[in-house]
Amino acid sequence: MTRRLLAALLVLAAGTACAPAGQGASGGQDGQAGGRVTLRVGDQKAGSQALLKAAGLLDGTSYAITWSQFTSGPPLLEAVNAGAVDIGGVGNTPPVFAAASGSKIKVVSAYRQSAKGSAILVPEGSPITSPAQLKGKKVAVAKGSSAHYHLLAVLKKQGLSFTDIQAQYLQPADALAAFSSGTVDAWAIWDPFTSQAEIQHRARPVVDGSGIVNGLGFQVAAPAALDDAGKRAAVGDFLTRLAKARIWAAAHLNEWAKVWAQETGLPGEVADAAVANAVATPVVIDDSVVSSEQEIADAFTAEGLIPGTVTFSQFVDDRFNDVVRKAQQ
């Protein structure tokens, strides 16, 4: 087992909590808890659990849910591949890296949001004012994350390659510490960390993701979970609730921001800014989504940042596309 996988599983073990109320962790085989299915969900900061709670859609499931918090998408998908998590939410790039490593994953739902929350930040007073000036600089980024592709795409647009910078592969908490201490020159990151850095640390964006990244996010499941009839039904219900919650959040930003602040412990002004950037629309996984993700995979292959080539369509399961329609009813 790799060191990264061990770390992911340690995070999972430390972060698992039961929700909704009265629906405990799995105590039996094949995802059964006292005869009832348990869906093990991987989550990130201000993610699905907070959103469902804010929308009032967390309770009343016929199955139990256990939640595990992860620092970013790549370790979450390592847990999915290891069979420790059934499903989890990630950005547009982690599935590409997971696919390139041969992980057992299936992308089962998608949403699209503004790319403004994705940003390459520099400290207040930095002489860097344009993306071209990142050449030769130390840039913090979580490897295999959506920020990783954003950074790659920005460099490519400037006629630079990834080898033209000194990439510092750091998870968000470590990157924030390095950024605030001046150990790195810039930080490629996503919300809510973008808003947190801008408001609490006076970071300045050099460029955001508008017109550069596709703004896609996904729920990614373990094939073994989809092969289990009980868990497959739970996945369908969970995805429908999540799509409904996204539609609710878009129309109730203030309510969503208040719950978000309570769940994360961050100030209301950070929550307000992050939520405004995170309005998401559920979308079906169609050819346009697959081709957009294929472009990301091809870009990483061309740069030599992933092994071999990835055919993204092979890691997609579109049987749950109808959750978009159900969420709109």
Side-chain angles (χ1 to χ4, degrees), residues 2-113:
T2 67
R3 291 173 62 186
R4 282 178 56 80
L5 177 54
L6 284 171
L9 295 179
L10 285 173
V11 170
L12 182 149
T16 298
C18 296
Q23 298 188 6
S26 174
Q29 297 179 347
D30 298 325
Q32 303 298 314
R36 186 169 57 174
V37 169
T38 293
L39 190 65
R40 301 167 301 170
V41 181
D43 202 11
Q44 297 185 53
K45 188 174 184 178
S48 302
Q49 186 177 15
L51 179 59
L52 288 168
K53 180 178 180 180
L57 293 168
L58 192 57
D59 297 323
T61 62
S62 61
Y63 50 92
I65 302 177
T66 59
W67 296 92
S68 300
Q69 296 294 323
F70 293 85
T71 56
S72 65
L76 190 161
L77 292 190
E78 288 182 2
V80 171
N81 177 60
V85 168
D86 297 316
I87 189 169
V90 300
N92 60 8
T93 303
V96 169
F97 271 70
S101 67
S103 294
K104 297 183 287 293
I105 61 164
K106 287 292 183 181
V107 173
V108 292
S109 77
Y111 65 89
R112 193 183 301 274
Q113 65 186 52

Side-chain angles (χ1 to χ4, degrees), residues 33-327:
R36 186 169 57 174
V37 169
T38 293
L39 190 65
R40 301 167 301 170
V41 181
D43 202 11
Q44 297 185 53
K45 188 174 184 178
S48 302
Q49 186 177 15
L51 179 59
L52 288 168
K53 180 178 180 180
L57 293 168
L58 192 57
D59 297 323
T61 62
S62 61
Y63 50 92
I65 302 177
T66 59
W67 296 92
S68 300
Q69 296 294 323
F70 293 85
T71 56
S72 65
L76 190 161
L77 292 190
E78 288 182 2
V80 171
N81 177 60
V85 168
D86 297 316
I87 189 169
V90 300
N92 60 8
T93 303
V96 169
F97 271 70
S101 67
S103 294
K104 297 183 287 293
I105 61 164
K106 287 292 183 181
V107 173
V108 292
S109 77
Y111 65 89
R112 193 183 301 274
Q113 65 186 52
S114 167
K116 291 183 179 179
S118 298
I120 298 177
L121 306 173
V122 295
E124 183 183 30
S126 169
I128 299 173
T129 58
S130 71
Q133 293 174 312
L134 294 172
K135 184 175 182 179
K137 299 298 191 292
K138 293 182 178 179
V139 184
V141 64
K143 186 175 184 179
S145 68
S146 59
H148 198 175
Y149 177 69
H150 182 203
L151 178 57
L152 174 60
V154 165
L155 293 172
K156 185 178 180 181
K157 192 173 182 179
Q158 298 298 318
L160 301 174
S161 71
F162 215 76
T163 57
D164 286 319
I165 64 166
Q166 300 179 55
Q168 309 294 302
Y169 290 126
L170 298 170
Q171 290 297 311
D174 294 329
L176 177 58
F179 182 81
S180 59
S181 67
T183 305
V184 297
D185 301 299
W187 183 18
I189 191 57
W190 59 89
D191 255 331
F193 303 103
T194 300
S195 296
Q196 181 183 5
E198 289 179 341
I199 293 172
Q200 295 185 322
H201 300 274
R202 298 183 178 179
R204 174 169 51 82
V206 174
V207 60
D208 65 29
S210 301
I212 300 173
V213 298
N214 60 20
L216 289 169
F218 302 104
Q219 286 289 317
V220 182
L226 300 179
D227 289 340
D228 179 281
K231 286 201 175 187
R232 185 168 61 249
V235 166
D237 178 78
F238 175 76
L239 294 178
T240 301
R241 288 169 181 261
L242 200 53
K244 288 182 176 180
R246 296 195 190 285
I247 293 173
W248 173 88
H252 300 82
L253 290 182
N254 289 337
E255 294 93 325
W256 169 212
K258 288 178 182 177
V259 173
W260 190 96
Q262 292 172 355
E263 292 294 305
T264 62
L266 288 171
E269 59 181 339
V270 174
D272 289 340
V275 164
N277 288 333
V279 174
T281 301
V283 297
V284 298
I285 305 174
D286 58 13
D287 290 344
S288 67
V289 168
V290 173
S291 63
S292 183
E293 288 296 297
Q294 188 63 52
E295 289 180 12
I296 294 176
D298 293 344
F300 278 107
T301 295
E303 198 74 14
L305 294 172
I306 58 174
T309 60
V310 169
T311 303
F312 193 79
S313 60
Q314 295 178 352
F315 296 87
V316 168
D317 186 332
D318 64 2
R319 79 178 85 179
F320 300 100
N321 271 346
D322 64 341
V323 302
V324 176
R325 174 184 54 79
K326 291 178 181 178

